[in-house]
Amino acid sequence: MSRIQNLDHQYIASTYGRFPVVIKEGKGSVAVDENGRMLIDMGSGIAVNVFGYADERWKKAVISQLDKVSHTSNLYYTEPDVKLAKMLCDKSGMKKVFYCNSGAEANECAIKAARKYAAEKKGNDYYTIITLEHSFHGRTLTTLAATGQDVFHQLFTPLTPGFVHAKINDLEDVKRLAEENKTAAIMIECIQGEGGVNVLDEAFVQGIRELCDEKDLIMIVDEVQTGNGRTGVHYSYQNYNILPDVVTTAKGLGGGLPIGVTMLSDKVENIFAPGDNGSTFGGNPVVCAGACSILERLDSKMLAGVKQRSEYIFARLKDARGVRSVSGMGLMIGIEPENGSAGDIANKCLEKGVLVLTAHGNKVRLLPALNIPMDLLEKAMDIITEAFE
Ligand SMILES: Cc1ncc(COP(=O)(O)O)c(C=O)c1O
């Protein structure tokens, strides 16, 4: 074990099972470890480095804003915040945004928006949020309660009350829970990430939209992992031809710096009053300037490139030896091995020079940078397919 690994084990809480590699630097889709070994990164920091490491345009935007205002507070207006807010609304169809620092916080805010809407419309007892089994919405005590995976709940109870979990792709189950509970909202990921790269059916997502309209429930779509171009459109719900009432995003939007955003549709754009929510660092001008540079580049050409790379990966995995199933959309792909564990395959890939992720349900998960060069992608897929054999 290297000196850095030893110090990590000594001084950093053991909340992560890390791969045995110290990342020292990186450029684009290539990470370099402390021994100078090059690794093709097919995880992009869990869907964060959308244009890879040390992206020049993002760096320029961040550095130039650092020279102006690195932080003020939410007591004052700043230009990067409004510029980013407008871009987010234009791309998502939402009307207003709230800034925070992570996906979990963005989901907390979405839950607050839904509960306030229901409390005002129907009464304080209409607080239940329906989420899905296998979902993942964060690690605060409220977003853990929203997360439909018991494995994350153990030893941390009592969690925030008022969450029930429906079966995925089972509209009748969602309807039953909406009948049985005084419900405020339904919250989904259109493609579940951590939970196993499970793609929701179109009829199911559209059925949830109709149910929310019928019962005046808030439809929240968690785009923390799926958002910002990852599935070949700006936000994954755009693949389903629906418009949610609240959308959350984070990860890739910041391009490598922390950001979370809760986006509010016209139904709830004025739900919050001063004091209802807040965040010291939310809307940090440096982070927002970097995020603007990311969104500016997510144009139709870039999104077409995501689809083209996605088709290439799916084609390489079709009929690949040792692969039981492939799921996902765009550059968010889950691969289930016929035999053995996804963790072992991830370690094999690392030995051969490729970083991949895993997901629940024994899946290897790929979340490469949206602009990964084709030659690197081909090389990575050679190694990944070999690791499955
Ligand atoms: C769908 C989804 N929601 C929420 C979160 C939590 O985001 P964060 O780790 O930024 O709090 C994640 C993180 O993986 C996620 O994938």
Side-chain angles (χ1 to χ4, degrees):
M1 206 181 283
S2 78
R3 184 182 65 87
I4 290 176
Q5 290 175 29
N6 269 322
L7 288 170
D8 183 300
H9 286 243
Q10 191 175 349
Y11 291 112
I12 298 183
S14 343
T15 53
Y16 304 106
R18 300 196 206 274
F19 286 100
V21 58
V22 177
I23 307 285
K24 199 172 134 215
E25 56 190 47
K27 186 73 195 157
S29 285
V30 177
V32 182
D33 78 2
E34 59 181 338
N35 305 312
R37 189 167 173 242
M38 312 251 257
L39 302 155
I40 304 174
D41 192 341
M42 291 291 283
S44 63
I46 321 189
V48 168
N49 298 330
V50 285
F51 299 132
Y53 295 93
D55 175 69
E56 290 302 329
R57 273 184 64 180
W58 176 79
K59 255 173 43 186
K60 203 168 155 221
V62 166
I63 291 166
S64 119
Q65 183 57 38
L66 268 172
D67 277 334
K68 295 177 193 153
V69 184
S70 61
H71 175 79
T72 166
S73 71
N74 281 307
L75 299 176
Y76 309 105
Y77 300 95
T78 65
E79 193 176 359
D81 287 37
V82 292
K83 187 176 168 197
L84 178 62
K86 182 173 184 320
M87 286 169 88
L88 283 164
C89 289
D90 288 347
K91 288 184 190 291
S92 67
M94 298 290 113
K95 298 293 181 200
K96 282 193 177 170
V97 310
F98 171 81
Y99 290 125
C100 52
N101 314 287
S102 68
E105 276 177 278
N107 286 336
E108 290 265 351
C109 176
I111 291 161
K112 283 175 87 169
R115 285 198 170 158
K116 186 169 180 196
Y117 179 87
E120 285 180 347
K121 273 267 178 118
K122 302 175 185 169
N124 274 332
D125 48 344
Y126 278 78
Y127 56 72
T128 299
I129 317 270
I130 301 171
T131 70
L132 299 183
E133 291 178 0
H134 309 292
S135 59
F136 185 83
H137 296 295
R139 291 175 185 275
T140 61
L141 287 176
T142 299
T143 54
L144 267 187
T147 292
Q149 300 186 60
D150 280 343
V151 51
F152 289 110
H153 297 167
Q154 288 148 17
L155 304 180
F156 300 115
T157 52
L159 304 175
T160 304
F163 289 87
V164 293
H165 310 295
K167 292 191 170 47
I168 141 170
N169 288 329
D170 185 340
L171 192 58
E172 288 314 308
D173 202 39
V174 179
K175 285 184 176 168
R176 175 185 63 79
L177 289 171
E179 273 310 308
E180 286 173 4
N181 298 278
K182 291 185 172 175
T183 305
I186 303 174
M187 175 157 150
I188 59 168
E189 301 150 86
C190 291
I191 299 137
Q192 296 181 325
E194 313 293 316
V197 197
N198 308 313
V199 180
L200 299 192
D201 294 341
E202 190 169 0
F204 180 62
V205 173
Q206 289 177 351
I208 289 175
R209 178 65 275 177
E210 280 162 25
L211 183 64
C212 287
D213 288 339
E214 205 181 292
K215 291 177 114 30
D216 196 12
L217 311 176
I218 300 298
M219 181 177 189
I220 305 169
V221 177
D222 177 341
E223 296 272 357
V224 169
Q225 195 164 141
T226 48
N228 312 301
R230 174 76 27 209
T231 69
V233 289
H234 292 295
Y235 295 98
S236 69
Y237 61 80
Q238 291 162 341
N239 292 308
Y240 291 81
N241 294 313
I242 57 128
L243 193 65
D245 300 310
V246 177
V247 177
T248 60
T249 193
K251 285 188 183 284
L253 177 62
L257 285 172
I259 191 168
V261 186
T262 311
M263 299 191 261
L264 308 167
S265 70
D266 51 4
K267 185 164 176 157
V268 282
E269 64 178 307
N270 295 316
I271 193 71
F272 290 129
D276 277 345
N277 211 5
S279 162
T280 296
F281 283 110
N284 173 276
V286 173
V287 181
C288 287
C292 285
S293 88
I294 299 284
L295 286 195
E296 273 162 6
R297 287 159 77 186
L298 286 177
D299 55 11
S300 53
K301 194 165 162 229
M302 184 66 71
L303 296 175
V306 170
K307 287 184 182 154
Q308 180 210 342
R309 287 166 177 78
S310 173
E311 279 163 20
Y312 173 77
I313 297 175
F314 274 99
R316 287 293 307 263
L317 292 169
K318 192 172 177 281
D319 305 326
R321 274 200 294 163
V323 171
R324 171 165 296 155
S325 69
V326 185
S327 61
M329 219 185 249
L331 290 175
M332 180 170 178
I333 294 169
I335 319 165
E336 184 190 8
E338 222 145 49
N339 300 302
S341 86
D344 288 345
I345 293 171
N347 280 317
K348 254 199 224 172
C349 290
L350 173 60
E351 274 166 33
K352 302 266 176 187
V354 175
L355 302 176
V356 299
L357 306 164
T358 59
H360 286 268
N362 200 30
K363 300 269 178 87
V364 167
R365 185 169 37 142
L366 307 182
L367 295 165
L370 305 186
N371 63 349
I372 182 171
M374 278 312 289
D375 59 330
L376 281 183
L377 184 57
E378 282 166 24
K379 229 189 229 177
M381 290 313 297
D382 288 345
I383 290 170
I384 292 167
T385 47
E386 202 185 302
F388 273 86
E389 282 177 6

